[in-house]
């Protein structure tokens, strides 16, 4: 029988030879060392020197797995299946964690099934902290937090392994695949959710990051993922309102990216995007979302062309 450990760090990786060592260093150079953990690296078919960097890394804690190239969701699935930890943590291969990650989280282990913490995003120099909401269910808490711009990402949380005992639906959504998995996990929570008001995770800009560099029709899979959540998990009226708000909020961002970086795909799909917005974008959603999203939604509702013009001007000024 495989030996159990306290923490499993799961790292999906694809062509990250320039960043994977930094990621591994941040996990291995923790201030608290007298704790058992493993590092599961799932290589999603890399064609560069990623495998060599991982296999030459001087640590017996690393377990390396190679799978044919598919998508990050399948790599995470493999990592989850192989994990032996009491708690599971996820780290993107081009990011890194705080050196006090284990030291700060360890006292709270066993007190909650999900622990949320802060994230620093270097792309926009912004810190995202978890929210405290007096919601009736963990699912409502998650949806409300995402609307308030706390990242709907696996990497800003640590999870009790009991949440993964039942199979998850790993749908092939290129965007919002984290969000889709998190919805399922939050529906399984039976105990309190804890939040740590400290930054423990750091997202750094990187060349050719999958979700940052892909601007094509795969972005539309995010809409399909959110609609699937609404259909399969929208049992209460509050959940339905939150999900409709999330769908509406996603449209200006997707349209803005396509307009700026892929005009043919934008022109092909703009009517579809605006139809989705008209379906879900009611004024009452403003009460649930953050102030930045309120500005985007208001401009877009007045005129999508106005929103795109203001967005373009903002991007130009930001570069100065």
């Amino acid at each position: 029988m495989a030996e159990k450990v306290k923490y499993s760090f799961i790292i999906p990786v694809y062509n990250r030879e320039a960043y994977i060592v930094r990621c591994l260093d941040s996990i291995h150079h923790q201030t608290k060392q007298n704790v058992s953990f493993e590092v599961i690296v799932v290589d999603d078919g890399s064609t560069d020197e990623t495998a060599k960097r991982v296999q030459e890394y001087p640590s017996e804690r690393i377990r390396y797995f190679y799978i044919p190239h598919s998508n990050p969701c399948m790599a995470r699935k493999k990592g989850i299946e192989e994990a032996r930890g009491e708690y599971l943590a996820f780290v993107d291969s081009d990011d890194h964690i705080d050196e006090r990650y284990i030291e700060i989280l360890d006292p709270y282990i066993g007190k909650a099934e999900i622990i949320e913490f802060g994230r620093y995003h270097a792309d926009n120099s912004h810190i995202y902290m978890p929210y405290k909401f007096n919601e009736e269910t963990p699912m409502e808490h998650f949806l409300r937090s995402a609307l308030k711009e706390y990242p709907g990402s696996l990497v800003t949380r640590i999870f009790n392994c009991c949440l993964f005992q039942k199979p998850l639906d790993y749908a092939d959504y290129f965007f919002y695949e984290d969000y889709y998995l998190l919805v399922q996990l939050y529906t399984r929570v039976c105990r309190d959710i804890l939040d740590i008001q400290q930054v423990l995770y750091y997202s750094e800009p990187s060349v050719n990051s999958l979700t940052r560099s892909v601007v094509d029709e795969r972005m539309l899979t995010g809409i399909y993922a959110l609609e699937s959540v609404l259909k399969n998990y929208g049992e209460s009226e509050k959940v339905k309102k939150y999900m409709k708000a999330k769908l509406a909020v996603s449209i200006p961002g997707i349209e803005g990216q396509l307009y700026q970086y892929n005009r043919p795909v934008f022109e092909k799909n703009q009517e579809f995007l605006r139809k989705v917005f008209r379906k879900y974008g009611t004024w009452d959603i403003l009460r649930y979302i953050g102030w930045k999203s309120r500005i985007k939604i208001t401009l877009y509702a007045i005129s999508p062309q106005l929103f795109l013009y203001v967005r373009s001007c903002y991007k130009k000024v930001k570069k100065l």
Side-chain angles (χ1 to χ4, degrees):
M1 184 176 179
E3 181 182 353
K4 296 288 287 185
V5 295
K6 196 166 189 178
Y7 299 99
S8 292
F9 291 92
I10 299 172
I11 308 173
V13 61
Y14 176 70
N15 288 352
R16 283 292 171 269
E17 62 181 12
Y19 308 100
I20 187 63
V21 171
R22 179 184 65 186
C23 178
L24 293 173
D25 281 346
S26 73
I27 299 172
H28 284 84
H29 299 166
Q30 290 289 300
T31 55
K32 185 178 179 68
Q33 287 289 324
N34 59 337
V35 62
S36 60
F37 68 85
E38 64 179 358
V39 181
I40 299 174
V41 179
V42 183
D43 189 338
D44 186 23
S46 293
T47 57
D48 63 359
E49 295 291 308
T50 294
K52 182 180 179 181
R53 300 279 193 277
V54 175
Q55 292 169 338
E56 291 181 350
Y57 194 87
S59 171
E60 296 181 355
R61 301 179 189 264
I62 294 177
R63 300 170 62 208
Y64 173 80
F65 300 91
Y66 180 93
I67 63 173
H69 183 55
S70 54
N71 58 54
C73 192
M74 291 299 101
R76 289 197 182 98
K77 180 177 184 290
K78 176 64 175 176
I80 291 167
E81 290 171 348
E82 297 291 342
R84 302 177 300 195
E86 177 187 352
Y87 274 74
L88 275 60
F90 298 84
V91 186
D92 288 343
S93 55
D94 43 7
D95 298 336
H96 61 280
I97 62 173
D98 193 276
E99 64 179 2
R100 300 165 301 148
Y101 186 101
I102 292 177
E103 178 185 344
I104 291 171
L105 289 176
D106 208 53
Y108 301 96
I109 293 301
K111 297 180 181 179
E113 290 169 333
I114 296 179
I115 303 173
E116 304 171 337
F117 45 83
R119 174 182 186 174
Y120 173 75
H121 211 298
D123 280 343
N124 56 6
S125 301
H126 191 76
I127 292 175
Y128 300 89
M129 286 296 186
Y131 285 86
K132 294 180 182 289
F133 290 117
N134 186 26
E135 298 289 353
E136 295 178 3
T137 68
M139 171 73 152
E140 292 171 1
H141 165 82
F142 165 68
L143 296 176
R144 185 75 186 277
S145 295
L147 285 172
K148 289 292 186 179
E149 298 174 11
Y150 180 63
S153 170
L154 291 166
V155 301
T156 54
R157 300 155 170 88
I158 190 168
F159 307 85
N160 190 296
C161 64
C162 69
L163 299 176
F164 299 90
Q165 289 178 353
K166 294 181 181 179
L168 292 165
D169 178 15
Y170 294 92
D172 189 16
Y173 298 121
F174 197 86
F175 282 82
Y176 284 102
E177 44 104 2
D178 271 24
Y179 190 98
Y180 189 73
L181 291 178
L182 283 167
V183 165
Q184 298 173 65
L185 293 172
Y186 273 81
T187 61
R188 301 177 179 184
V189 172
C190 298
R191 300 170 60 186
D192 289 340
I193 298 166
L194 293 181
D195 65 278
I196 307 297
Q197 296 296 315
Q198 288 182 263
V199 173
L200 299 180
Y201 191 92
Y202 297 86
S203 295
E204 303 288 349
S206 63
V207 178
N208 295 327
S209 172
L210 277 178
T211 54
R212 295 171 193 169
S213 62
V214 173
V215 185
D216 57 29
E217 287 189 298
R218 283 175 288 182
M219 296 188 75
L220 303 182
T221 63
I223 298 172
Y224 307 145
L226 296 176
E227 289 192 318
S228 179
V229 171
L230 177 61
K231 177 182 177 181
N232 297 319
Y233 299 94
E235 297 178 356
S236 73
E237 285 303 313
K238 187 178 285 189
V239 167
K240 288 180 181 177
K241 288 179 180 178
Y242 290 167
M243 280 310 308
K244 290 178 180 179
K246 182 64 177 176
L247 274 156
V249 167
S250 71
I251 299 302
I254 293 173
E255 185 165 329
Q257 287 283 95
L258 292 175
Y259 180 81
Q260 183 175 1
Y261 298 110
N262 196 328
R263 198 64 65 87
V265 175
F266 162 76
E267 292 173 353
K268 178 182 176 182
N269 292 283
Q270 62 175 313
E271 184 52 41
F272 165 73
L273 290 168
R274 293 171 187 182
K275 182 179 179 180
V276 173
F277 183 83
R278 290 192 296 269
K279 183 177 180 180
Y280 300 112
T282 56
W283 288 111
D284 64 325
I285 68 173
L286 295 178
R287 61 189 291 196
Y288 305 125
I289 60 181
W291 66 269
K292 291 182 180 179
S293 294
R294 290 179 186 177
I295 295 173
K296 292 177 184 178
I297 285 290
T298 302
L299 285 173
Y300 191 89
I302 294 171
S303 167
Q305 289 78 12
L306 174 63
F307 165 76
L308 293 172
Y309 174 75
V310 172
R311 184 182 184 277
S312 297
C313 292
Y314 171 76
K315 294 291 184 182
K316 290 178 182 177
V317 171
K318 196 174 180 181
K319 289 181 180 180
L320 296 179

mmCIF file of all heavy atoms in Angstrom, residues 79-107:
data_model
loop_
_atom_site.group_PDB
_atom_site.id
_atom_site.type_symbol
_atom_site.label_atom_id
_atom_site.label_comp_id
_atom_site.label_asym_id
_atom_site.label_seq_id
_atom_site.Cartn_x
_atom_site.Cartn_y
_atom_site.Cartn_z
ATOM 1 N N GLY A 79 -3.113 13.736 -11.911
ATOM 2 C CA GLY A 79 -2.502 14.100 -10.638
ATOM 3 C C GLY A 79 -3.380 13.749 -9.452
ATOM 4 O O GLY A 79 -2.902 13.241 -8.424
ATOM 5 N N ILE A 80 -4.665 14.017 -9.576
ATOM 6 C CA ILE A 80 -5.608 13.704 -8.503
ATOM 7 C C ILE A 80 -5.685 12.199 -8.271
ATOM 8 O O ILE A 80 -5.709 11.729 -7.124
ATOM 9 C CB ILE A 80 -7.002 14.276 -8.843
ATOM 10 C CG1 ILE A 80 -6.967 15.810 -8.781
ATOM 11 C CG2 ILE A 80 -8.072 13.736 -7.886
ATOM 12 C CD1 ILE A 80 -8.190 16.478 -9.385
ATOM 13 N N GLU A 81 -5.699 11.433 -9.343
ATOM 14 C CA GLU A 81 -5.771 9.974 -9.228
ATOM 15 C C GLU A 81 -4.541 9.407 -8.535
ATOM 16 O O GLU A 81 -4.630 8.401 -7.805
ATOM 17 C CB GLU A 81 -5.915 9.354 -10.618
ATOM 18 C CG GLU A 81 -7.265 9.617 -11.275
ATOM 19 C CD GLU A 81 -7.307 9.176 -12.720
ATOM 20 O OE1 GLU A 81 -6.235 8.863 -13.295
ATOM 21 O OE2 GLU A 81 -8.409 9.143 -13.293
ATOM 22 N N GLU A 82 -3.387 10.035 -8.730
ATOM 23 C CA GLU A 82 -2.141 9.529 -8.158
ATOM 24 C C GLU A 82 -1.862 10.076 -6.762
ATOM 25 O O GLU A 82 -0.972 9.562 -6.060
ATOM 26 C CB GLU A 82 -0.965 9.879 -9.080
ATOM 27 C CG GLU A 82 -1.033 9.240 -10.457
ATOM 28 C CD GLU A 82 -0.833 7.728 -10.403
ATOM 29 O OE1 GLU A 82 -0.317 7.222 -9.380
ATOM 30 O OE2 GLU A 82 -1.192 7.053 -11.395
ATOM 31 N N ALA A 83 -2.588 11.094 -6.325
ATOM 32 C CA ALA A 83 -2.278 11.776 -5.067
ATOM 33 C C ALA A 83 -2.476 10.864 -3.860
ATOM 34 O O ALA A 83 -3.450 10.125 -3.769
ATOM 35 C CB ALA A 83 -3.142 13.022 -4.931
ATOM 36 N N ARG A 84 -1.544 10.975 -2.897
ATOM 37 C CA ARG A 84 -1.610 10.204 -1.660
ATOM 38 C C ARG A 84 -1.761 11.110 -0.447
ATOM 39 O O ARG A 84 -1.688 10.657 0.688
ATOM 40 C CB ARG A 84 -0.332 9.361 -1.503
ATOM 41 C CG ARG A 84 -0.088 8.408 -2.668
ATOM 42 C CD ARG A 84 1.215 7.644 -2.517
ATOM 43 N NE ARG A 84 2.372 8.542 -2.458
ATOM 44 C CZ ARG A 84 3.634 8.146 -2.620
ATOM 45 N NH1 ARG A 84 3.891 6.867 -2.862
ATOM 46 N NH2 ARG A 84 4.631 9.003 -2.539
ATOM 47 N N GLY A 85 -1.966 12.395 -0.687
ATOM 48 C CA GLY A 85 -1.991 13.351 0.408
ATOM 49 C C GLY A 85 -3.326 13.457 1.113
ATOM 50 O O GLY A 85 -4.382 13.211 0.522
ATOM 51 N N GLU A 86 -3.256 13.864 2.376
ATOM 52 C CA GLU A 86 -4.469 14.178 3.135
ATOM 53 C C GLU A 86 -5.126 15.429 2.577
ATOM 54 O O GLU A 86 -6.356 15.547 2.554
ATOM 55 C CB GLU A 86 -4.115 14.382 4.614
ATOM 56 C CG GLU A 86 -5.288 14.774 5.483
ATOM 57 C CD GLU A 86 -4.881 15.135 6.908
ATOM 58 O OE1 GLU A 86 -3.700 14.940 7.258
ATOM 59 O OE2 GLU A 86 -5.752 15.629 7.671
ATOM 60 N N TYR A 87 -4.298 16.374 2.126
ATOM 61 C CA TYR A 87 -4.778 17.587 1.472
ATOM 62 C C TYR A 87 -4.102 17.741 0.125
ATOM 63 O O TYR A 87 -2.928 17.422 -0.036
ATOM 64 C CB TYR A 87 -4.508 18.833 2.340
ATOM 65 C CG TYR A 87 -5.613 19.088 3.339
ATOM 66 C CD1 TYR A 87 -5.745 18.295 4.474
ATOM 67 C CD2 TYR A 87 -6.553 20.094 3.136
ATOM 68 C CE1 TYR A 87 -6.771 18.506 5.377
ATOM 69 C CE2 TYR A 87 -7.581 20.316 4.039
ATOM 70 C CZ TYR A 87 -7.691 19.512 5.157
ATOM 71 O OH TYR A 87 -8.706 19.721 6.039
ATOM 72 N N LEU A 88 -4.874 18.238 -0.853
ATOM 73 C CA LEU A 88 -4.374 18.415 -2.217
ATOM 74 C C LEU A 88 -4.258 19.902 -2.523
ATOM 75 O O LEU A 88 -5.195 20.672 -2.289
ATOM 76 C CB LEU A 88 -5.309 17.764 -3.234
ATOM 77 C CG LEU A 88 -5.122 16.262 -3.519
ATOM 78 C CD1 LEU A 88 -5.308 15.440 -2.242
ATOM 79 C CD2 LEU A 88 -6.093 15.789 -4.580
ATOM 80 N N ALA A 89 -3.088 20.281 -3.053
ATOM 81 C CA ALA A 89 -2.843 21.657 -3.492
ATOM 82 C C ALA A 89 -2.448 21.635 -4.966
ATOM 83 O O ALA A 89 -1.817 20.685 -5.432
ATOM 84 C CB ALA A 89 -1.744 22.299 -2.655
ATOM 85 N N PHE A 90 -2.829 22.688 -5.684
ATOM 86 C CA PHE A 90 -2.548 22.765 -7.110
ATOM 87 C C PHE A 90 -1.679 23.987 -7.390
ATOM 88 O O PHE A 90 -1.930 25.075 -6.849
ATOM 89 C CB PHE A 90 -3.852 22.854 -7.906
ATOM 90 C CG PHE A 90 -4.736 21.642 -7.747
ATOM 91 C CD1 PHE A 90 -5.603 21.532 -6.666
ATOM 92 C CD2 PHE A 90 -4.681 20.613 -8.670
ATOM 93 C CE1 PHE A 90 -6.399 20.410 -6.509
ATOM 94 C CE2 PHE A 90 -5.479 19.488 -8.522
ATOM 95 C CZ PHE A 90 -6.341 19.386 -7.434
ATOM 96 N N VAL A 91 -0.668 23.799 -8.222
ATOM 97 C CA VAL A 91 0.238 24.884 -8.580
ATOM 98 C C VAL A 91 0.445 24.843 -10.090
ATOM 99 O O VAL A 91 0.755 23.787 -10.649
ATOM 100 C CB VAL A 91 1.604 24.754 -7.868
ATOM 101 C CG1 VAL A 91 2.466 25.983 -8.144
ATOM 102 C CG2 VAL A 91 1.429 24.546 -6.363
ATOM 103 N N ASP A 92 0.263 25.984 -10.759
ATOM 104 C CA ASP A 92 0.566 26.065 -12.185
ATOM 105 C C ASP A 92 2.084 26.121 -12.366
ATOM 106 O O ASP A 92 2.795 26.760 -11.576
ATOM 107 C CB ASP A 92 -0.086 27.286 -12.815
ATOM 108 C CG ASP A 92 -1.599 27.133 -12.940
ATOM 109 O OD1 ASP A 92 -2.083 25.987 -12.839
ATOM 110 O OD2 ASP A 92 -2.294 28.150 -13.112
ATOM 111 N N SER A 93 2.574 25.501 -13.418
ATOM 112 C CA SER A 93 4.005 25.291 -13.572
ATOM 113 C C SER A 93 4.806 26.575 -13.787
ATOM 114 O O SER A 93 6.028 26.579 -13.600
ATOM 115 C CB SER A 93 4.263 24.327 -14.726
ATOM 116 O OG SER A 93 3.649 24.790 -15.912
ATOM 117 N N ASP A 94 4.160 27.662 -14.204
ATOM 118 C CA ASP A 94 4.877 28.918 -14.393
ATOM 119 C C ASP A 94 4.669 29.884 -13.227
ATOM 120 O O ASP A 94 5.066 31.047 -13.298
ATOM 121 C CB ASP A 94 4.495 29.592 -15.719
ATOM 122 C CG ASP A 94 3.006 29.549 -15.991
ATOM 123 O OD1 ASP A 94 2.246 29.116 -15.105
ATOM 124 O OD2 ASP A 94 2.594 29.948 -17.093
ATOM 125 N N ASP A 95 4.059 29.407 -12.152
ATOM 126 C CA ASP A 95 3.837 30.221 -10.955
ATOM 127 C C ASP A 95 4.663 29.668 -9.797
ATOM 128 O O ASP A 95 5.401 28.697 -9.946
ATOM 129 C CB ASP A 95 2.358 30.225 -10.578
ATOM 130 C CG ASP A 95 1.477 30.848 -11.661
ATOM 131 O OD1 ASP A 95 2.004 31.665 -12.447
ATOM 132 O OD2 ASP A 95 0.288 30.510 -11.725
ATOM 133 N N HIS A 96 4.511 30.292 -8.610
ATOM 134 C CA HIS A 96 5.199 29.768 -7.433
ATOM 135 C C HIS A 96 4.423 30.123 -6.172
ATOM 136 O O HIS A 96 3.548 30.991 -6.182
ATOM 137 C CB HIS A 96 6.630 30.288 -7.348
ATOM 138 C CG HIS A 96 6.750 31.781 -7.227
ATOM 139 N ND1 HIS A 96 6.638 32.627 -8.308
ATOM 140 C CD2 HIS A 96 6.970 32.586 -6.163
ATOM 141 C CE1 HIS A 96 6.796 33.879 -7.927
ATOM 142 N NE2 HIS A 96 6.987 33.879 -6.620
ATOM 143 N N ILE A 97 4.737 29.404 -5.098
ATOM 144 C CA ILE A 97 4.043 29.626 -3.829
ATOM 145 C C ILE A 97 4.973 30.299 -2.834
ATOM 146 O O ILE A 97 6.197 30.288 -2.989
ATOM 147 C CB ILE A 97 3.494 28.306 -3.237
ATOM 148 C CG1 ILE A 97 4.625 27.328 -2.931
ATOM 149 C CG2 ILE A 97 2.474 27.685 -4.190
ATOM 150 C CD1 ILE A 97 4.167 26.068 -2.198
ATOM 151 N N ASP A 98 4.375 30.878 -1.804
ATOM 152 C CA ASP A 98 5.138 31.539 -0.750
ATOM 153 C C ASP A 98 5.948 30.514 0.043
ATOM 154 O O ASP A 98 5.516 29.375 0.234
ATOM 155 C CB ASP A 98 4.166 32.279 0.187
ATOM 156 C CG ASP A 98 4.881 33.232 1.117
ATOM 157 O OD1 ASP A 98 5.368 32.779 2.171
ATOM 158 O OD2 ASP A 98 4.950 34.433 0.816
ATOM 159 N N GLU A 99 7.115 30.927 0.510
ATOM 160 C CA GLU A 99 7.961 30.008 1.289
ATOM 161 C C GLU A 99 7.325 29.611 2.622
ATOM 162 O O GLU A 99 7.712 28.607 3.233
ATOM 163 C CB GLU A 99 9.333 30.637 1.534
ATOM 164 C CG GLU A 99 9.281 31.888 2.390
ATOM 165 C CD GLU A 99 10.641 32.495 2.639
ATOM 166 O OE1 GLU A 99 11.638 31.968 2.108
ATOM 167 O OE2 GLU A 99 10.724 33.500 3.386
ATOM 168 N N ARG A 100 6.306 30.367 3.059
ATOM 169 C CA ARG A 100 5.609 30.033 4.315
ATOM 170 C C ARG A 100 4.266 29.345 4.069
ATOM 171 O O ARG A 100 3.455 29.252 4.985
ATOM 172 C CB ARG A 100 5.387 31.324 5.122
ATOM 173 C CG ARG A 100 6.656 32.069 5.496
ATOM 174 C CD ARG A 100 6.323 33.468 5.934
ATOM 175 N NE ARG A 100 5.628 34.185 4.850
ATOM 176 C CZ ARG A 100 4.703 35.132 5.052
ATOM 177 N NH1 ARG A 100 4.347 35.485 6.267
ATOM 178 N NH2 ARG A 100 4.127 35.721 4.015
ATOM 179 N N TYR A 101 4.045 28.883 2.863
ATOM 180 C CA TYR A 101 2.779 28.261 2.472
ATOM 181 C C TYR A 101 2.365 27.178 3.468
ATOM 182 O O TYR A 101 1.270 27.211 4.038
ATOM 183 C CB TYR A 101 2.951 27.674 1.071
ATOM 184 C CG TYR A 101 1.715 27.103 0.410
ATOM 185 C CD1 TYR A 101 1.024 27.831 -0.549
ATOM 186 C CD2 TYR A 101 1.269 25.812 0.681
ATOM 187 C CE1 TYR A 101 -0.081 27.301 -1.210
ATOM 188 C CE2 TYR A 101 0.162 25.276 0.044
ATOM 189 C CZ TYR A 101 -0.506 26.022 -0.897
ATOM 190 O OH TYR A 101 -1.601 25.493 -1.539
ATOM 191 N N ILE A 102 3.235 26.204 3.687
ATOM 192 C CA ILE A 102 2.905 25.112 4.599
ATOM 193 C C ILE A 102 2.843 25.608 6.037
ATOM 194 O O ILE A 102 1.936 25.236 6.805
ATOM 195 C CB ILE A 102 3.925 23.969 4.466
ATOM 196 C CG1 ILE A 102 3.786 23.306 3.087
ATOM 197 C CG2 ILE A 102 3.741 22.933 5.574
ATOM 198 C CD1 ILE A 102 4.804 22.204 2.823
ATOM 199 N N GLU A 103 3.778 26.445 6.429
ATOM 200 C CA GLU A 103 3.810 26.957 7.803
ATOM 201 C C GLU A 103 2.525 27.671 8.175
ATOM 202 O O GLU A 103 1.988 27.496 9.285
ATOM 203 C CB GLU A 103 4.999 27.915 7.960
ATOM 204 C CG GLU A 103 5.109 28.552 9.334
ATOM 205 C CD GLU A 103 6.229 29.585 9.411
ATOM 206 O OE1 GLU A 103 7.111 29.588 8.518
ATOM 207 O OE2 GLU A 103 6.214 30.379 10.356
ATOM 208 N N ILE A 104 1.984 28.472 7.244
ATOM 209 C CA ILE A 104 0.777 29.249 7.534
ATOM 210 C C ILE A 104 -0.474 28.381 7.473
ATOM 211 O O ILE A 104 -1.385 28.526 8.303
ATOM 212 C CB ILE A 104 0.670 30.430 6.548
ATOM 213 C CG1 ILE A 104 1.776 31.452 6.858
ATOM 214 C CG2 ILE A 104 -0.707 31.087 6.616
ATOM 215 C CD1 ILE A 104 1.903 32.556 5.833
ATOM 216 N N LEU A 105 -0.545 27.452 6.535
ATOM 217 C CA LEU A 105 -1.744 26.632 6.373
ATOM 218 C C LEU A 105 -1.819 25.479 7.378
ATOM 219 O O LEU A 105 -2.915 25.053 7.758
ATOM 220 C CB LEU A 105 -1.812 26.068 4.955
ATOM 221 C CG LEU A 105 -2.114 27.051 3.832
ATOM 222 C CD1 LEU A 105 -2.050 26.347 2.481
ATOM 223 C CD2 LEU A 105 -3.486 27.686 4.016
ATOM 224 N N ASP A 106 -0.684 24.981 7.803
ATOM 225 C CA ASP A 106 -0.655 23.756 8.610
ATOM 226 C C ASP A 106 -1.514 23.806 9.881
ATOM 227 O O ASP A 106 -2.176 22.813 10.204
ATOM 228 C CB ASP A 106 0.785 23.396 8.959
ATOM 229 C CG ASP A 106 0.970 21.905 9.173
ATOM 230 O OD1 ASP A 106 0.589 21.127 8.277
ATOM 231 O OD2 ASP A 106 1.470 21.509 10.236
ATOM 232 N N PRO A 107 -1.539 24.925 10.620
ATOM 233 C CA PRO A 107 -2.374 24.947 11.834
ATOM 234 C C PRO A 107 -3.868 24.791 11.560
ATOM 235 O O PRO A 107 -4.634 24.460 12.473
ATOM 236 C CB PRO A 107 -2.078 26.331 12.435
ATOM 237 C CG PRO A 107 -0.748 26.713 11.887
ATOM 238 C CD PRO A 107 -0.732 26.149 10.506
#
